[in-house]
Amino acid sequence: MAQWWQDEGFVHNGDVRLHYVAAGPPDGEPVLLIHGFPQFSYEWRYHLPALAAHGYRVVAPDLRGYHLSDRPNGVEHYRMKNLVSDIGAFYNAFGWQSANIVAHDWGGAISWLFVSFYPQMVKRFVVLDIPHPSAFQAGLRHIEQIHKSWYIWFFQFSEIPERIIGQDLGSFLRFMMVDSARPGTFSPADFQAYLENLSLPGAFEAAINYYRNGSNPATIYAENPANFAPLQMPVLLIYGKQDFAFEEEVWTETARYCSGYFRSVGLEGVGHWTPEEAPEETLKLILEHFMVK
């Protein structure tokens, strides 16, 4: 694939250096694209240039621990308070007062907190394949959701996931991503990009540390369980109806925490990797949402 961004750089959050790629006019309305696990900014290779072509200034970071961003050593560096502040670092670096946020999976988990804590800084929110944290915690009262979340419990163990999965990261990626996605979603080049990213020294441990930011899997979204104020900015939830990670109820429950404009779209025949499984459908939905006042 040809280069799909226009420029790249780094911002700093304290001692942590965060890499990003970007495109679009510098004075365009800001859009922040935040990737999930186990991906990196490459996840947005379809959306970033397309949104830039519509006049938006689009920035796609590598979350801490991923790709060219720093990988601080120690689980404490991957607690939510640090991950949320990383989003704020991009606002500070670019002088944004407000921006649109589009986030998938773990990027969405972080963003739910950011938009809850700093609602005045988010013009519109698009979240893919991750429910509101309170909806997820409620879902964990159901056997089906507990079963679907088995990997969260497994990732809590110290060193064991690295020893078992780290022996063959290629098989892990095939099982978790390729085999669960729409056929043809990930090309050999896509697979190689993700494998190389996760194979960087310390990268897999850093990615797993996101899941270890609390001793209780039910509170992985926050330092402590909390009741979040309903969101008033326009919110679009997109999810794959064949998502292996979540039961259907968490999507319907998410609406309870959005008091402003809220739209939920479940895509048939799509799994957990919606931005890449359905790039055209998701891009259309995002652009429509950006028209909401």
Side-chain angles (χ1 to χ4, degrees):
M1 175 181 285
Q3 181 172 307
W4 46 276
W5 70 91
Q6 292 176 343
D7 54 270
E8 62 180 325
F10 293 88
V11 307
H12 288 81
N13 185 14
D15 295 332
V16 177
R17 193 175 71 153
L18 302 166
H19 176 256
Y20 70 89
V21 295
D27 60 349
E29 187 175 314
V31 177
L32 199 58
L33 303 176
I34 308 177
H35 70 84
F37 168 88
Q39 298 138 299
F40 63 105
S41 54
Y42 182 79
E43 175 178 1
W44 303 110
R45 60 197 177 277
Y46 303 114
H47 299 77
L48 184 143
L51 291 171
H54 281 81
Y56 294 97
R57 177 59 176 172
V58 192
V59 176
D62 293 324
L63 293 173
R64 65 169 62 199
Y66 286 88
H67 194 46
L68 300 182
S69 289
D70 285 351
R71 284 181 283 281
N73 186 32
V75 66
E76 68 275 6
H77 294 286
Y78 300 90
R79 295 184 73 82
M80 264 297 183
K81 63 180 181 180
N82 298 319
L83 305 177
V84 170
S85 69
D86 285 347
I87 298 181
F90 284 91
Y91 277 75
N92 294 334
F94 300 129
W96 295 343
Q97 299 300 310
S98 178
N100 302 290
I101 292 181
V102 179
H104 174 244
D105 184 74
W106 254 104
I110 300 165
S111 296
W112 274 118
L113 267 69
F114 185 87
V115 303
S116 296
F117 297 158
Y118 308 104
Q120 73 282 2
M121 300 177 69
V122 183
K123 189 170 184 179
R124 305 176 194 88
F125 183 35
V126 180
V127 61
L128 301 102
D129 299 313
I130 193 80
H132 186 278
S134 296
F136 177 66
Q137 289 186 14
L140 286 173
R141 294 196 293 264
H142 305 150
I143 293 297
E144 181 182 357
Q145 186 58 60
I146 292 173
H147 175 72
K148 286 178 175 288
S149 298
W150 66 268
Y151 60 95
I152 296 177
W153 275 263
F154 175 63
F155 288 162
Q156 301 301 308
F157 293 104
S158 176
E159 300 183 2
I160 293 177
E162 290 91 331
R163 291 180 181 177
I164 295 176
I165 299 174
Q167 295 178 11
D168 191 351
L169 287 171
S171 292
F172 170 72
L173 286 177
R174 289 188 185 92
F175 167 74
M176 188 157 191
M177 296 180 69
V178 178
D179 294 346
S180 67
R182 270 181 176 177
T185 293
F186 299 106
S187 70
D190 298 336
F191 179 83
Q192 189 62 30
Y194 285 134
L195 179 58
E196 290 178 0
N197 167 63
L198 213 57
S199 300
L200 292 170
F204 185 63
E205 179 181 5
I208 297 300
N209 277 340
Y210 276 63
Y211 292 90
R212 295 169 174 152
N213 65 22
S215 59
N216 181 352
T219 64
I220 63 171
Y221 290 96
E223 294 295 302
N224 294 296
N227 293 318
F228 302 106
L231 300 179
Q232 298 182 12
M233 81 284 291
V235 176
L236 169 64
L237 168 67
I238 307 173
Y239 64 95
K241 288 197 169 184
Q242 276 65 57
D243 193 321
F244 64 82
F246 298 104
E247 63 171 351
E248 183 72 24
E249 188 171 339
V250 299
W251 310 124
T252 57
E253 282 291 303
T254 291
R256 295 178 53 192
Y257 305 97
C258 302
S259 60
Y261 174 92
F262 176 77
R263 183 184 181 191
S264 176
V265 180
L267 299 179
E268 295 286 353
V270 176
H272 184 70
W273 316 103
T274 300
E276 293 170 285
E277 293 184 64
E280 294 182 1
E281 297 99 313
T282 53
L283 177 62
K284 180 176 181 292
L285 290 167
I286 292 167
L287 288 170
E288 289 174 356
H289 189 65
F290 284 179
M291 295 296 103
V292 176
K293 302 299 183 182

